[in-house]
């Protein structure tokens, strides 16, 4: 429904970028990794990886922990799960609304038929 | 690429005119959608959908072709009260077609890919390529689920 969508659209935007998905792939494969390690596995600079990690961090998809001189990032799987479920929620929201429309329209149609029948009988 | 969209339909045992009224008249809309509705039913007309426990979401009517087609955009961004723009809203299209004495009602919501990121992210992005979705959401969902399993 709407409130759920409003909360997760930032999440979708974060996961929607193909490079960021590759960053997530690397983190998931390694458990945790620094920006330098991620950049070594992808055809992008360390600076670009750091920016993508910042976006993922803001969306709550990764968290960074300081280990000595570097920050290592790990995926927060529960947030990834939320992104996946939100799409199913949008679809389920429309199913619910369509069923409500059906109920209202069929009740109105039945009332109309009943009215027409009564008119015919009283004639 | 296939435009990303959600499509749902339902068969309703009522004539098209009645379904049209339920889909487009505020007193009916409040029975299946938001708690209260303001709607100026003409292209470009303003819409305001309000939920008691959430607030107001703005929308804009796009096409009105009684009794077969009605579409509007509505804001799904983190700024629910904001006016409708392309980057903060999705398109919802209702199509009504008679099937015997019943009506097939189809709803398509699309444009998720065009939702932009936050202002902050937009500024921070330097490679200049267009932001937003480049994946079908179904594909995205599959990806996330796959990664969920792999991550566990």
């Amino acid at each position: 429904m709407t409130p759920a969508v409003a909360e997760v659209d930032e999440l979708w935007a974060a996961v929607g970028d193909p490079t960021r998905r590759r960053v997530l792939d690397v983190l998931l494969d390694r458990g945790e990794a620094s920006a330098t390690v991620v950049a070594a596995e992808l055809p992008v600079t360390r600076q670009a990886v750091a920016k993508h990690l910042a976006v993922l961090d803001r969306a709550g998809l990764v968290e960074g922990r300081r280990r000595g001189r570097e920050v290592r990032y790990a995926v927060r799987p529960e947030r990834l799960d939320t992104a996946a479920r939100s799409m199913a929620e949008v679809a389920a929201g429309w199913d619910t609304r369509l069923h409500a429309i059906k109920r209202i329209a069929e009740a109105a149609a039945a009332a109309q038929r009943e009215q027409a029948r009564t008119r015919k009988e009283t004639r | 690429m296939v435009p990303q969209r959600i499509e749902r339909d339902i068969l309703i045992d009522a004539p098209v005119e009645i379904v049209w009224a339920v889909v487009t008249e505020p007193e009916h809309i409040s029975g299946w959608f938001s708690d209260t509705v303001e709607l100026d039913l003409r292209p470009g007309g303003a819409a305001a959908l309000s939920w008691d426990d959430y607030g107001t979401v703005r929308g804009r009517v796009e096409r009105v072709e009684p009794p077969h087609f009605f579409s509007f955009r509505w804001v799904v961004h983190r700024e629910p009260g904001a006016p409708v723009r392309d980057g903060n809203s999705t398109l919802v299209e209702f199509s009504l077609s008679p099937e015997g004495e019943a009506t097939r009602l189809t709803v398509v919501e699309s444009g998720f890919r065009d939702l932009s990121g936050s202002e902050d992210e937009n500024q921070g992005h330097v490679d200049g390529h267009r932001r937003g979705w480049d994946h079908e959401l179904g594909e995205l969902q599959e990806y996330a689920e796959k990664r969920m399993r792999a991550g566990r």
Side-chain angles (χ1 to χ4, degrees):
Chain A
M1 309 291 277
T2 314
V5 173
E7 274 168 35
V8 301
D9 62 63
E10 189 179 0
L11 211 50
W12 288 353
V15 181
D17 181 284
T19 305
R20 284 200 283 273
R21 283 200 298 275
R22 296 182 68 182
V23 170
L24 288 172
D25 281 341
V26 173
L27 295 181
L28 282 163
D29 287 342
R30 289 183 165 263
E32 61 170 28
S34 66
T36 310
V37 169
V38 174
E41 296 204 12
L42 300 178
V44 288
T45 63
R46 192 197 163 282
Q47 284 78 6
V49 168
K51 273 178 194 148
H52 286 306
L53 283 168
V55 173
L56 292 169
D57 194 6
R58 271 201 300 277
L61 283 162
V62 301
E63 59 186 344
R65 287 215 189 97
R66 186 158 283 285
R67 294 256 195 275
R69 279 204 260 160
E70 58 178 20
V71 178
R72 290 195 202 156
Y73 290 88
V75 171
R76 296 176 63 196
E78 70 280 8
R79 290 285 285 172
L80 203 52
D81 193 33
T82 304
R85 279 183 195 174
S86 59
M87 206 56 229
E89 272 171 30
V90 172
W94 282 115
D95 282 337
T96 305
R97 291 176 203 131
L98 288 183
H99 277 97
I101 290 172
K102 178 181 166 79
R103 249 189 337 267
I104 297 167
E106 289 182 350
Q112 205 176 60
R113 278 197 298 269
E114 179 65 19
Q115 236 173 24
R117 199 177 59 81
T118 318
R119 262 204 302 275
K120 221 179 272 174
E121 277 173 5
T122 51
R123 226 175 260 158
Chain B
M1 201 190 311
V2 185
Q4 66 170 281
R5 49 192 243 149
I6 286 174
E7 181 172 336
R8 283 290 190 268
D9 72 86
I10 197 165
L11 187 66
I12 299 174
D13 185 18
V16 169
E17 289 72 21
I18 286 182
V19 177
W20 174 259
V22 174
V23 169
T24 59
E25 290 174 7
E27 61 270 32
H28 285 307
I29 296 173
S30 58
W32 59 266
F33 206 1
S34 54
D35 296 323
T36 55
V37 183
E38 287 170 46
L39 178 66
D40 181 7
L41 191 63
R42 56 183 173 177
L49 304 163
S50 301
W51 283 265
D52 297 340
D53 56 358
Y54 178 65
T56 299
V57 173
R58 293 191 184 285
R60 184 181 67 213
V61 175
E62 297 289 314
R63 275 168 63 194
V64 184
E65 293 160 19
H68 295 295
F69 190 87
F70 169 53
S71 65
F72 64 92
R73 298 192 71 88
W74 65 325
V75 174
V76 298
H77 222 250
R78 234 174 233 284
E79 27 174 342
V84 175
R85 302 189 311 269
D86 282 350
N88 74 350
S89 62
T90 53
L91 179 67
V92 175
E93 299 169 293
F94 285 102
S95 307
L96 296 71
S97 56
E99 283 189 16
E101 304 203 334
T103 302
R104 172 78 54 187
L105 175 63
T106 305
V107 62
V108 175
E109 183 166 11
S110 62
F112 297 101
R113 191 189 308 161
D114 306 320
L115 295 173
S116 42
S118 65
E119 291 300 315
D120 188 19
E121 183 193 341
N122 292 357
Q123 278 173 5
H125 226 82
V126 288
D127 52 6
H129 80 101
R130 199 161 159 277
R131 209 163 337 282
W133 304 102
D134 62 348
H135 243 239
E136 249 195 294
L137 285 169
E139 208 175 316
L140 172 58
Q141 184 176 348
E142 202 175 288
Y143 165 84
E145 284 171 354
K146 188 186 79 191
R147 295 312 322 194
M148 274 297 297
R149 286 194 295 273
R152 272 192 190 122

